[in-house]
Amino acid sequence: MTVAVEKSKEMVLKAGSRMACAGLVTGTWGNISARVPGENLYVITPSGISCDRLSKSDLVIVESGGRVIEGERKPSTELKLHLAIYNAREDVTAIMHTHSTFASAMAVAGQTLPPILEDLAQLVGGKVPVTRYARAGTPNLAAAVLEVLGQSNAVLLANHGVVGMGRNLEEAFQVCMVVEKAAQVYAWASLLGKVNEIPKEEALLLRDLYITSYGQSKNSQPARS
Ligand SMILES: [Zn+2]
């Protein structure tokens, strides 16, 4: 395998540790993938192993049609979902799927997460849509995500969890973290009686500024303020 594949594997392993440490998943749930730069290949976590216990040899390399190129393990059951997103969005090179608590609560309520915080607007761009119900691991779930995805960097999966994506694994991780935080803030603000959203035009402007200015920074962190 090429240097690019090996590098992508290392980044997936690191993202797996961070996802587990951040408490975004429980047990063996959750999965991560990355598009290998310059190649029609993807690195994806295997099915049935906790993401913080993976080694390089556990990772699976697939091509865009889903055929396994390298790896002894079975790829994640959400492989179809990952590949459908890569196919629909050229700009996406990394995907993280989590079952984080507050985002899952929004998904159970069937509630879209509006742009309520600037970091959410910067990283996701506008609202985080929620899908119709579709069973985990099925082509139907991939179809349900594509129905609402648009240019959003995150989608809430009805009665399931969240999928976040970005230009690299660091960004996909930050998206999942910020969506979880915003979902928590949304729930608390709702209890206080009122949720004020960032106006749509302002949210889009924040996103544009992030992509064109701050997004060029080395680690693609959201702008601090
Ligand atoms: Zn899941």
Side-chain angles (χ1 to χ4, degrees), residues 102 106 113-114 116-117 119-120 177-187:
F102 282 87
M106 298 283 295
L113 179 58
I116 52 169
L117 296 168
D119 48 9
L120 182 71
M177 292 288 286
V178 164
V179 167
E180 176 60 10
K181 187 195 76 170
Q184 191 168 7
V185 169
Y186 183 92

Side-chain angles (χ1 to χ4, degrees), residues 53-129:
R53 296 182 174 214
L54 293 171
S55 60
K56 261 190 186 182
S57 59
D58 293 318
L59 298 175
V60 185
I61 312 295
V62 299
E63 45 88 35
S64 58
R67 189 166 60 92
V68 173
I69 303 295
E70 183 197 289
E72 299 299 315
R73 306 276 184 192
K74 263 176 66 180
S76 163
T77 52
E78 296 297 0
L79 174 63
K80 288 185 182 70
L81 170 63
H82 288 245
L83 292 178
I85 292 171
Y86 287 124
N87 195 37
R89 289 273 300 274
E90 271 293 308
D91 59 312
V92 171
T93 64
I95 298 172
M96 182 176 282
H97 164 53
T98 80
H99 290 181
S100 62
T101 307
F102 282 87
S104 295
M106 298 283 295
V108 166
Q111 172 66 54
T112 293
L113 179 58
I116 52 169
L117 296 168
E118 60 148 9
D119 48 9
L120 182 71
Q122 286 179 39
L123 273 167
V124 174
K127 66 180 184 180
V128 181

Side-chain angles (χ1 to χ4, degrees), residues 204-220:
L204 291 173
L205 186 63
L206 287 171
R207 175 70 180 148
D208 280 351
L209 284 170
Y210 172 68
I211 292 174
T212 55
S213 312
Y214 307 111
Q216 299 301 318
S217 66
K218 221 165 70 182
N219 55 8
S220 292

